[in-house]
Each structure stands twice: as structure tokens, then as C-alpha cells.
Amino acid sequence: MARPLRNMPGFYLLTRFLNSSSPSFLAYRRWLQTIAYEEVQVSTERPYNSTAFVIHGLLGSGRNWRSFSRNLAARLSNSSPSSDWRIVLVDQRNHGSSADLESLYPPHDIVNAAQDMANLVRSQGWDWPDVVMGHSLGGKVALRFAESCARGDYGESAALPKQEQLLVLDSVPGKVNPENSDGEVEKVLETLQNLPSSIPSRKWLVNHMMELGFSKSLADWIGSNLKKSGEHETWAFNLEGAVEMFDSYREMDYWSLLENPPQGMEITIVRAEKSDRWDPDVIQRLETLAARQRNASQGTVSVHLLPNSGHWVHVDNPKGLLDIVAPKLASLG
């Protein structure tokens, strides 16, 4: 077996899995010709009975959500000991351990990113997930995945569970206003595109981004996506492919899904208080949909405001996000 690498107190990262002896958390990583993923569970002594997929945002990876997912799994276990959740953290195409998979053919867009999710489920012989949660770019992928399941695009076996929860974290459901081309995400992409492909060090990158006006927390997060390449660092994502995915994110529109959510599904939109993603008319449209009375043949829409957070919700206010997400999942237990 490969030599274990210390990841954080109580957790061990190995070439095939991440295992802790206390408090019995478990996370597996496998490299597939579908997308790569990790599994997080509080304990493996009992089989899981519910599954949540977490889809990271632009330039991220599943590992960015490890800490949050561990805390989420622990809270769910404490609130309902009989509820055993498995949380699957995927690496989207062009990101993380999926970045170099040659079988993930273009176009690199929201449609194919959602198809990657379906391919993963089928390749592993899993049941379809009870909960899908996506942040930013991943939010649009989650919306597409749910819409495609409901339409039967992935086959009859992809019928959504009766109490499906879809959580969309700071992701505008419709087309992004072309005038909003100078937001924080766009500035990050422009900055990265102007950097050399080989970065001297993570410390250099963090300092450089802070000098350009980015917050330390955001600069640290971007720096976490570097990997060693000889004497220098390089990106753990395919920047060109990621930009193509972001362009698709800006163009795709899923308002129709929010207007008519499938029966039994709750679509939860979490809007970060300090995010620059949201136009007033979009906020008003969401609030109207959330207040709408629906009949039994339709799902529901809810809207939550995450205080003290910019767009990078898992960095800015992870505890506040946990307070919103955990009760949603607990309600399914």
C-alpha cells in the first residue's frame, strides 16, 4: 500500500482512499473513465440509506468541500442516529482529478457536465441520489441534472426520488446579464489567464492576488488548486476547458424548471448576501416563485439568504451554510 499522507488531524489521505480511525469518518477516492469522486461517511459500520451529491463550482474540486461535508455528515448523524448519509464529492470535467481524463470529450458545457453525473451513477450501479447540491457553476449543473432526470433524458431508471432536494448555492438560474462581465468571478478568470502556466509557488500566487485586490481567503482558496510540477506549481484544473464551461453557465437558462418543479422536489436557492451575481429583478422573480401557492402535482421553490458571505460560500460562511443545508437533508431522514 502507498505511504499515507497526513491530511488533517484524524484523517489520512492515501492513493485510493482517505480513512480515519477516529471518529470513523471515511472518504474514498477513485479514478474512473467517468468523473472522479470521493465518498464521505461518518461510519462504515452500517450501510448508508441516503445519498447526497455535491458539485463544486468553477476552478474548484470535490476536496474543497471535504471539511463542509464532514461537518454536515456529523450534524446529520447527531440529529438522527438512524439516518446514515453518504456524501459524494465529484470532480467536474476539467477540474481536480477529472482534469486530465481524455474520455471526457468536448463540448465542455453544462449539458455534458450533467451527463457526466448520470454516467457516474450508472457506471457504479448506484441508486439515483436523494439530494443534489451545486455551487455556482455546479448549481447550473445540478439544475440541468434534475431537469434531465425528470424528462427521462437518462432513461426510465433515472426517475427522481419522491422527496428529492435540489440545493443551488449562489448560482443564477437564468442567463447571466451580459452587463455583469466585471464581477469577481470574471476578474479571477482574467487574472489567471494572464498568469504564466507555471507558478513559482503557492505563496507567490497568494501574495500576487492579494496585491491585485483579492481577499486573502479567496487567494488562499485559488492557491489550493495548485499542484506540484517539478520545481514549480501548475493548475489542478484545465483553465481553457473551465472557461468554456463558464461561458455555457452564462448562457443556460433553467427558469422553466423553477416555474414548474417536478412533483415532490424542493428546489432551494441560497443567495449569498454580499455576492455580486444577483440583479434586483432576478431576486424579485425568485421571491415571487417561492411565495407561489402550488398544487400537489408540483414541487416547491424556497429562497434563503446566506449572511456575511460573498460568492465563495464555503469559504466565507461555512457555518451559516451548514445551518441552511443540514435541516433540509435531515427532513428526508
Side-chain angles (χ1 to χ4, degrees):
M1 180 177 291
R3 180 176 62 88
L5 303 174
R6 175 71 69 176
N7 182 44
M8 60 179 291
F11 293 87
Y12 296 88
L13 180 62
L14 286 77
T15 55
R16 284 186 58 81
F17 62 92
L18 178 70
N19 183 31
S20 79
S21 56
S22 173
S24 295
F25 279 93
L26 179 69
Y28 289 106
R29 174 174 288 279
R30 298 179 178 87
W31 285 264
L32 308 168
Q33 285 307 299
T34 55
I35 51 175
Y37 68 97
E38 299 180 14
E39 297 178 70
V40 174
Q41 291 177 249
V42 171
S43 173
T44 57
E45 295 179 359
R46 297 178 302 184
Y48 61 85
N49 50 34
S50 300
T51 296
F53 275 23
V54 177
I55 314 174
H56 63 80
L58 185 72
L59 307 182
S61 66
R63 71 178 184 176
N64 297 142
W65 288 86
R66 280 180 187 161
S67 178
F68 179 86
S69 297
R70 289 169 179 149
N71 291 333
L72 175 60
R75 182 177 293 192
L76 291 170
S77 179
N78 291 334
S79 64
S80 178
S82 63
S83 180
D84 295 299
W85 280 87
R86 173 185 66 149
I87 303 176
V88 178
L89 315 178
V90 302
D91 281 356
Q92 293 199 67
R93 57 173 55 220
N94 297 303
H95 295 78
S97 295
S98 299
D100 298 324
L101 294 180
E102 296 179 357
S103 60
L104 301 176
Y105 301 111
H108 298 301
D109 56 18
I110 298 298
V111 174
N112 278 328
Q115 181 70 58
D116 292 339
M117 300 276 295
N119 291 345
L120 176 60
V121 172
R122 286 192 296 232
S123 72
Q124 298 304 301
W126 293 336
D127 290 334
W128 295 83
D130 302 283
V131 172
V132 179
M133 181 173 73
H135 170 235
S136 188
L137 173 74
K140 275 273 179 79
V141 174
L143 288 165
R144 176 68 188 199
F145 179 79
E147 181 181 73
S148 295
C149 285
R151 289 194 314 213
D153 293 352
Y154 304 144
E156 294 181 2
S157 65
L160 292 169
K162 293 182 179 179
Q163 292 184 312
E164 168 85 3
Q165 286 274 355
L166 183 68
L167 295 110
V168 181
L169 311 180
D170 212 54
S171 181
V172 177
K175 291 186 177 182
V176 177
N177 189 334
E179 295 181 0
N180 293 344
S181 59
D182 60 348
E184 187 175 49
V185 175
E186 288 82 0
K187 290 177 181 176
V188 168
L189 285 177
E190 182 180 2
T191 298
L192 300 189
Q193 287 176 307
N194 289 326
L195 290 175
S197 58
S198 181
I199 308 298
S201 68
R202 177 175 175 175
K203 181 179 180 181
W204 178 91
L205 176 67
V206 170
N207 290 337
H208 178 72
M209 295 198 69
M210 290 177 62
E211 289 172 359
L212 294 176
F214 295 104
S215 68
K216 186 178 188 306
S217 60
L218 178 55
D220 282 335
W221 176 74
I222 293 295
S224 72
N225 289 290
L226 288 171
K227 61 181 180 180
K228 198 71 176 176
S229 178
E231 296 298 318
H232 297 83
E233 306 271 353
T234 188
W235 297 117
F237 46 73
N238 175 354
L239 183 57
E240 182 179 349
V243 169
E244 291 179 32
M245 295 175 73
F246 183 64
D247 289 341
S248 175
Y249 162 86
R250 293 171 62 87
E251 289 298 319
M252 300 302 290
D253 189 326
Y254 294 103
W255 280 113
S256 61
L257 180 65
L258 272 67
E259 295 279 354
N260 298 286
Q263 183 179 14
M265 176 185 289
E266 180 182 1
I267 301 177
T268 299
I269 306 293
V270 177
R271 178 173 66 86
E273 182 181 30
K274 299 178 181 179
S275 173
D276 59 5
R277 301 285 90 190
W278 302 91
D279 289 336
D281 59 328
V282 173
I283 297 173
Q284 180 59 52
R285 187 173 180 180
L286 284 174
E287 296 290 350
T288 300
L289 287 174
R292 178 184 295 178
Q293 295 293 321
R294 300 178 185 269
N295 58 46
S297 66
Q298 292 181 306
T300 60
V301 174
S302 63
V303 179
H304 295 261
L305 182 67
L306 179 63
N308 303 315
S309 177
H311 178 66
W312 314 96
V313 293
H314 56 304
V315 174
D316 293 342
N317 189 0
K319 183 182 182 301
L321 182 62
L322 189 65
D323 290 340
I324 293 173
V325 172
K328 296 291 183 182
L329 274 65
S331 69
L332 302 181

